[in-house]
Amino acid sequence: MEGTVIVADDDRTIRTVLSQALTRAGARVRSTGTVSTLWRWIEEGEGDCVVTDVMMPDGDALDILPAIKRKRPDLPVIVMSAQNTVMTAIRATEVGAYEYVPKPFDLREVLSQVNKALNRQRRLYQPQEEEVVPADDTQKLPLIGRSPAMQEVYRIMARLMITDLGVMISGESGTGKEIVARALHNFGQRKNGTFVAINMASIPPDMIETELFGTAAIAGADGAGKFEQAGGGTLFLDEVGDMPLDAQTRLLRVLQDGKFARVGGRETLTADARIVAATHQDLRALVNEGKFREDLFYRLNIVPVRLPPLRDRLDDIPDLARHFLRQAEAEGLPRHMISKEALEILRKEAWHGNVRELENLIRRLAVLCPDEIISASVVEQEIKARPSSTSMPQPEQGQRLGQAIEVHLKRYFDMHGENLPPSGLYERILKEVELPLIALSLSATRGNQVKTADLLGINRNTLRKKIQELDISVTRGKKMM
């Protein structure tokens, strides 16, 4: 994306978000919050494209748009407005707007429109040159989706970019909590610092404090913990609901005082990291059950961001599918496109694993599909080939588990006729058995992982690892199934 973009909006947050995104895409940006400055810059010949709000403190941008068109008829003006009525859109078109974008806007859409406008300018002023269509810069955006559910997420994120406030991201497994956390870092005030992530569910309870705060250096070794590593940047606490109470107490003290010491050390260190936490659990329920400290909850939950499950944003599936195919191509896999009929089939699926499950399916299709166009029949075949998608026949009374599994597997092989199922069958079948076994055991113990590990006869750390690998939702103190 090449050229100078003038951003005019009286909301400083929106100016900052647009300026940062456009700068990252390669454009030069000048921003203002007034109509008078916008008009002065245009008179001076500034800008190759304008992105402006309608209502600003000193006037209505649509009122001066006819004058802009007379002064610089080839200057594209993209109009944004929170007054999302049909009359606003009609008025913008009548006075010569290049494009109209309602607020809250989709950042990806705005960048795409600016990119098109700048390309148009190059064609106007350099017609003799051979046109090279650049790659779509919006592919690099961390979040994909235009649905109303995601628009609300974008709106909240936009206001968080210029603050250091603590953020609590909630959502089911596979909805993209870490992606949101990374976006808040990469587009925020601490983008030049380090983004450090730690998953509380994957660390033994007695090691959490060491991981967070480090250990006193021995023989010159670096014992820095995550807080030190994230100094000047962002510390992402994933699955914070799995923290044991003693570690919660230590974390609360650090958030209150802004100071900490390494485990076994005496030196006081300053905590200089923005805290972004995430969980798939209901932390308020854990607070009521005495499993999570209420004061820590309020320290972490300053600004809540809820990520919708994929079933609440089905309109985003086409964009997501195409995005994952482009990613696969960039990683060296064959180039693919996907048919509209195939996308309709994907829209009708029950995505229990959310965006992550969709991504895994698209990647498999990118590997297995021999044709450039992924058809509906190929998608149907791959969906049916998943062991989870075949319906398990009801076992007869007294039938052993092994017999029921044998019936299931015979049906699975029969579905492929003379062909063999996709490779990796052993691991897929083991996961199919593990998933209900562990989930139902956790439900029976009301989420108590110590009792569940004892019931299953496995190590607690092994159980934690399996919960993470299989994306099993754990809610303590409640019957889950």
Side-chain angles (χ1 to χ4, degrees):
M1 186 182 291
E2 295 181 4
T4 300
V5 181
I6 297 177
V7 175
D9 198 299
D10 62 338
D11 189 323
R12 189 179 67 174
T13 301
I14 292 177
R15 292 201 306 271
T16 300
V17 170
L18 286 173
S19 297
Q20 289 180 345
L22 288 165
T23 300
R24 285 178 177 273
R28 296 176 297 279
V29 181
R30 297 196 71 179
S31 64
T32 178
T34 64
V35 170
S36 57
T37 302
L38 170 63
W39 174 245
R40 176 166 55 84
W41 286 347
I42 289 172
E43 277 194 310
E44 293 170 354
E46 287 286 337
D48 302 301
C49 174
V50 174
V51 180
T52 180
D53 191 16
V54 173
M55 299 303 298
M56 283 184 276
D58 59 339
D60 184 330
L62 292 183
D63 289 340
I64 68 165
L65 214 154
I68 294 174
K69 300 308 291 183
R70 288 193 298 271
K71 184 78 175 178
R72 297 175 61 185
D74 295 329
L75 179 66
V77 179
I78 298 171
V79 173
M80 302 185 301
S81 176
Q83 299 175 348
N84 299 336
T85 66
V86 65
M87 292 309 299
T88 307
I90 291 172
R91 184 181 170 214
T93 303
E94 287 177 341
V95 294
Y98 174 79
E99 187 58 74
Y100 167 76
V101 179
K103 289 184 177 181
F105 56 82
D106 183 339
L107 183 57
R108 181 172 179 265
E109 181 185 358
V110 174
L111 290 184
S112 177
Q113 294 297 341
V114 171
N115 196 32
K116 290 177 183 177
L118 292 176
N119 287 341
R120 170 180 174 270
Q121 289 298 87
R122 284 202 297 275
R123 287 195 296 271
L124 287 172
Y125 292 105
Q126 296 177 332
Q128 74 283 1
E129 295 184 4
E130 181 180 354
E131 181 185 2
V132 178
V133 180
D136 185 358
D137 293 295
T138 62
Q139 293 179 21
K140 300 176 183 178
L141 286 175
L143 294 165
I144 304 297
R146 304 166 184 265
S147 62
M150 288 305 294
Q151 293 291 339
E152 177 64 16
V153 174
Y154 299 160
R155 184 186 67 81
I156 296 172
M157 289 180 64
R159 298 189 178 278
L160 287 171
M161 297 302 182
I162 59 171
T163 76
D164 256 355
L165 293 175
V167 181
M168 175 65 74
I169 307 169
S170 61
E172 298 176 7
S173 294
T175 49
K177 295 186 287 294
E178 183 167 346
I179 294 175
V180 170
R182 287 186 180 276
L184 289 173
H185 172 80
N186 292 337
F187 290 87
Q189 294 178 318
R190 292 175 173 260
K191 60 186 176 185
N192 295 324
T194 305
F195 178 88
V196 178
I198 178 171
N199 190 311
M200 298 300 174
S202 63
I203 302 173
D206 56 349
M207 292 296 295
I208 287 181
E209 289 193 35
T210 300
E211 287 287 330
L212 285 175
F213 309 114
T215 57
I218 300 175
D222 183 11
K226 303 301 185 186
F227 260 98
E228 283 180 80
Q229 295 170 20
T234 302
L235 178 59
F236 176 51
L237 305 176
D238 197 8
E239 297 304 345
V240 70
D242 283 301
M243 286 187 74
L245 285 171
D246 52 350
Q248 292 178 31
T249 301
R250 178 81 189 275
L251 175 61
L252 175 64
R253 191 179 308 122
V254 174
L255 296 181
Q256 288 174 334
D257 301 337
K259 305 285 184 180
F260 69 97
R262 291 181 177 182
V263 176
R266 297 182 178 180
E267 181 185 2
T268 300
L269 304 172
T270 300
D272 179 26
R274 182 186 192 178
I275 304 299
V276 178
T279 182
H280 70 273
Q281 303 186 61
D282 183 350
L283 288 188
R284 292 184 183 276
L286 295 184
V287 168
N288 293 336
E289 296 161 10
K291 304 291 185 179
F292 200 86
R293 291 189 61 123
E294 184 175 17
D295 41 9
L296 178 59
F297 170 76
Y298 288 114
R299 278 279 176 179
L300 295 173
N301 196 50
I302 298 174
V303 181
V305 177
R306 180 190 174 275
L307 290 186
L310 189 53
R311 61 182 174 273
D312 288 349
R313 45 180 299 214
L314 295 176
D315 289 343
D316 290 337
I317 285 179
D319 283 341
L320 287 165
R322 296 186 188 103
H323 172 72
F324 294 139
L325 286 175
R326 288 193 297 264
Q327 279 189 333
E329 182 183 354
E331 294 168 6
L333 291 174
R335 182 176 184 272
H336 286 92
M337 292 181 287
I338 187 165
S339 70
K340 291 182 179 179
E341 294 78 12
L343 289 173
E344 280 304 307
I345 291 173
L346 294 177
R347 283 169 51 87
K348 295 175 182 177
E349 273 295 294
W351 298 103
H352 302 295
N354 292 296
V355 177
R356 185 185 298 139
E357 184 183 2
L358 174 63
E359 179 181 8
N360 291 340
L361 176 64
I362 295 297
R363 286 182 176 274
R364 285 200 301 276
L365 290 168
V367 172
L368 299 174
C369 183
D371 303 318
E372 183 178 358
I373 305 295
I374 298 174
S375 66
S377 60
V378 171
V379 170
E380 282 184 329
Q381 183 179 1
E382 181 58 30
I383 288 176
K384 289 178 181 178
R386 294 182 300 172
S388 59
S389 68
T390 58
S391 56
M392 176 77 79
Q394 291 296 320
E396 299 176 5
Q397 187 173 4
Q399 186 179 34
R400 298 195 312 274
L401 177 62
Q403 292 174 320
I405 293 175
E406 183 178 357
V407 171
H408 173 92
L409 289 174
K410 185 176 185 306
R411 175 189 173 97
Y412 181 55
F413 276 100
D414 289 344
M415 286 177 58
H416 290 81
E418 296 181 357
N419 299 319
L420 292 175
S423 61
L425 178 61
Y426 181 79
E427 289 296 328
R428 292 202 303 273
I429 293 300
L430 286 185
K431 284 185 178 181
E432 287 296 308
V433 176
E434 278 187 321
L435 179 59
L437 175 62
I438 294 176
L440 289 169
S441 297
L442 282 165
S443 178
T445 62
R446 299 186 181 275
N448 187 313
Q449 295 184 29
V450 175
K451 290 183 179 179
T452 302
D454 181 64
L455 173 65
L456 294 171
I458 60 176
N459 183 278
R460 189 182 177 189
N461 291 337
T462 301
L463 175 63
R464 285 179 176 271
K465 182 180 178 182
K466 292 295 182 183
I467 291 172
Q468 185 178 8
E469 288 177 352
L470 299 171
D471 283 334
I472 298 174
S473 178
V474 181
T475 303
R476 295 171 180 165
K478 292 186 177 181
K479 199 77 171 177
M480 293 174 288
M481 291 186 179

